[in-house]
Amino acid sequence: MLITFKSKSSPELLMYQEHAQRILDLLHKSPTRGVITAAEAATALSLLEHEVALSKQHPEVDVEHDIHTHELEENETQERVIQQRVGFAARAYPLLEMLRAAKQDGNDIIWGV
């Protein structure tokens, strides 16, 4: 399922729910419908930046997370999944940018509406 994040400060951002789930769990938000208010943006930004920094310091955590959440397809090996994976920092970057713009402009970020 796709999640469309919207804000008046940025273009819409589409993410697969399985990729957005880690971010939304960190922010204690539901993947179905939610809002990050302008007042929450600074805290959300701080939490997300901290998690990105941790994932860069400990990339093996990202690998473990990917292996446990990714269902292997036919003729696919765990080594191949590890080689082709996209790290948490790269996946979170677009939402980080949206959060920065929303914080600066005083706008909310919404999804599921």
Side-chain angles (χ1 to χ4, degrees):
M1 182 170 106
L2 286 174
I3 297 176
T4 305
F5 294 96
K6 301 175 185 180
S7 176
K8 291 180 182 178
S9 301
S10 333
E12 288 184 356
L13 169 62
L14 293 171
M15 290 182 84
Y16 283 110
Q17 180 177 340
E18 65 188 60
H19 299 148
Q21 190 67 52
R22 181 173 172 189
I23 296 168
L24 294 173
D25 286 347
L26 180 68
L27 302 176
H28 306 289
K29 300 289 183 177
S30 166
T32 10
R33 180 180 292 171
V35 62
I36 299 171
T37 64
E40 295 174 317
T43 303
L45 190 57
S46 176
L47 285 169
L48 199 49
E49 285 173 339
H50 179 71
E51 188 73 9
V52 165
L54 286 176
S55 74
K56 287 180 178 180
Q57 289 176 347
H58 305 286
E60 67 278 1
V61 174
D62 276 352
V63 172
E64 282 298 313
H65 184 266
D66 286 350
I67 288 172
H68 293 298
T69 59
H70 181 83
E71 292 183 27
L72 293 178
E73 296 177 10
E74 189 175 323
N75 299 324
E76 188 176 39
T77 64
Q78 286 188 352
E79 292 85 25
R80 180 97 169 131
V81 170
I82 290 169
Q83 290 172 349
Q84 293 185 333
R85 76 173 191 80
V86 176
F88 178 74
R91 291 201 193 279
Y93 181 79
L95 190 56
L96 275 170
E97 288 299 303
M98 182 179 265
L99 275 166
R100 288 182 183 114
K103 177 185 168 196
Q104 180 180 355
D105 297 344
N107 291 315
D108 298 341
I109 297 173
I110 60 170
W111 62 94
V113 291

